[in-house]
Amino acid sequence: MHLRRARPSQVRGRLGGRRRKLDAKKRLEIAESVLSGRKSGAEMARLYNISEPTVSRSVAAYRQTRRTHESQP
């Protein structure tokens, strides 16, 4: 019989993946700043010490949720 070992993340109570570096409020602030033109993606990446692709993902997720909410009656 083969016993499965628990991963360190499971031992700490997380089921999968890394903990998010940015909370929802910060992701919202990043997306709105970039989309409004107040700051560029590169500026927000430097400000929050994250990569530009992370900024892009936050903006894309914001657009997707905004589109979803607009299409609902």
Side-chain angles (χ1 to χ4, degrees):
M1 184 160 103
H2 186 298
L3 296 176
R4 190 175 146 237
R5 288 177 128 179
R7 294 187 187 118
S9 60
Q10 291 171 327
V11 172
R12 289 191 302 270
R14 290 193 297 276
L15 292 178
R18 291 175 61 140
R19 183 174 294 163
R20 290 183 179 259
K21 189 169 184 178
L22 301 170
D23 59 23
K25 184 178 178 182
K26 289 178 184 173
R27 289 193 308 269
L28 178 66
E29 182 181 336
I30 288 169
E32 288 178 343
S33 294
V34 171
L35 290 173
S36 71
R38 284 184 303 216
K39 300 267 187 186
S40 70
E43 288 173 316
M44 294 307 288
R46 283 191 299 273
L47 183 65
Y48 285 97
N49 195 28
I50 57 175
S51 69
E52 288 185 51
T54 301
V55 172
S56 296
R57 284 191 298 271
S58 294
V59 171
Y62 176 81
R63 282 182 175 147
Q64 184 65 36
T65 56
R66 193 173 66 183
R67 211 176 292 138
T68 303
H69 289 283
E70 288 176 353
S71 65
Q72 291 179 352

